Amino acid sequence: MDLNTVVEVRDARRRDTWRPGDAWLAGGTYLFSEPQPHLRRLIDLGRTGWPPLLPAPDGALEIAATCTVAELSAYPKPAQWPSAPLFEQCCRAFLASWKIWHLATVGGNLCNALPAGPMISLTAALDGVCRLVAQTGAVREVPVKDFVTGAGRNVLQPGELLRAVTLPARALARRTAFRQASLYGLGRSGALLIGTLDASDGSFALTVTASTVRPVRLDFPLLPNAEALREGIAHAVGPGEYHDDIHGLPAWRRHMTFRLAEEIRRELAEEETR
């Protein structure tokens, strides 16, 4: 879609004062998908040259905000990552075309803060931490689970940039279980839940996304029983926090959240006893 209110596109490598009507441009799959009458200038991140995926000496993985879905999918995951299948599961949850895969970015998916954003699901479940850079150069770090605050809302301040998301080595070493539900065979996620189990201490975490307006994370010292898990979800997700749109009513999303959570708990429990 032509953005007929945009009068300038600037290279992000050229520093300039942030103005009202500015927006960061990465893949552009959202920006160019619908009218943006409030925008006057796009700050293009396409030539920043940030490495899409950068392994750290301690085993962590840094994902640049400009990393595309295709690059994330193609990245060779080390054999010692039990969490490796989760990357492809979340990439496939986009249900997007080849063109979207090669343009849509991890950072864009997080910043759009849509409940069904699968990069939010992936990075929140693996303890991702966002590195945010202000116009002054000041840097702050915010966990992904706190970065998204509601449907279409996040903690970014005007002009602030999401530079990268870091996944710690310990989270990458966890076993995972993935569940997704949609009203349609190729529809947007109405519920997307991820469970992780830490082999070192037996701790269990459940991340609820898509059915809720923000990521909801539940942590247990050990794998809970069915009743404890249900109570935990009921306490963590308020009645008004289940998303409501054409892709699913809140009552259905709540039902699927409890159902998929129990499936995840059983899957990880069965693996633990093998």
Side-chain angles (χ1 to χ4, degrees):
M1 173 174 288
D2 292 334
L3 301 181
N4 59 8
T5 61
V6 172
V7 297
E8 184 181 4
V9 179
R10 291 185 63 87
D11 190 325
R13 296 173 299 177
R14 296 169 55 194
R15 302 291 297 180
D16 196 6
T17 303
W18 188 265
R19 311 171 188 169
D22 283 356
W24 299 108
L25 170 64
T29 55
Y30 166 71
L31 279 179
F32 290 96
S33 70
E34 59 183 51
Q36 310 286 347
H38 61 291
L39 297 185
R40 299 293 179 270
R41 187 170 66 157
L42 302 180
I43 314 300
D44 187 7
L45 299 168
R47 297 181 181 177
T48 52
W50 300 333
L53 296 124
L54 192 63
D58 64 357
L61 178 68
E62 179 180 285
I63 307 173
T66 49
C67 174
T68 65
V69 178
E71 289 170 327
L72 183 63
S73 173
Y75 181 72
K77 287 78 176 177
Q80 65 268 29
W81 286 5
S83 64
L86 186 61
F87 286 77
E88 190 67 12
Q89 289 168 327
C90 289
C91 287
R92 295 290 170 187
F94 268 104
L95 300 175
S97 69
W98 179 91
K99 290 188 291 185
I100 296 296
W101 263 48
H102 285 76
L103 287 174
T105 61
V106 173
N109 196 245
L110 268 72
C111 292
N112 282 342
L114 299 178
M119 297 297 97
I120 299 171
S121 309
L122 171 69
T123 53
L126 294 181
D127 296 345
V129 176
C130 299
R131 186 161 83 251
L132 311 180
V133 183
Q135 287 293 298
T136 61
V139 177
R140 63 178 177 134
E141 294 187 338
V142 178
V144 172
K145 64 182 179 66
D146 299 323
F147 176 77
V148 176
T149 58
R153 302 200 309 271
N154 59 49
V155 301
L156 286 171
Q157 299 299 314
E160 197 169 28
L161 171 69
L162 170 59
R163 169 62 182 81
V165 180
T166 299
L167 308 180
R170 182 168 178 174
L172 294 169
R174 292 178 185 152
R175 299 207 327 270
T176 64
F178 172 95
R179 291 292 188 280
Q180 178 192 19
S182 173
L183 285 176
Y184 319 101
L186 293 175
R188 180 177 293 181
S189 298
L192 198 163
L193 279 68
I194 297 169
T196 65
L197 193 63
D198 194 320
S200 64
D201 63 5
S203 59
F204 169 78
L206 179 73
T207 302
V208 181
T209 57
S211 59
T212 50
V213 296
R214 61 177 178 83
V216 175
R217 172 71 176 260
L218 290 84
D219 292 282
F220 297 85
L222 295 171
L223 193 66
N225 59 28
E227 182 180 357
L229 183 59
R230 286 186 63 84
E231 289 179 355
I233 296 171
H235 178 74
V237 185
E241 291 191 296
Y242 285 102
H243 193 42
D244 184 3
D245 67 3
I246 61 172
H247 300 285
L249 294 173
W252 175 78
R253 292 178 190 266
R254 182 179 186 276
H255 169 75
M256 294 308 300
T257 295
F258 283 102
R259 175 178 170 176
L260 299 181
E262 177 57 17
E263 289 182 8
I264 285 172
R265 188 195 69 82
R266 290 183 181 181
E267 178 181 326
L268 292 175
E270 289 172 2
E271 291 182 5
E272 197 173 33
T273 57
R274 288 176 186 172

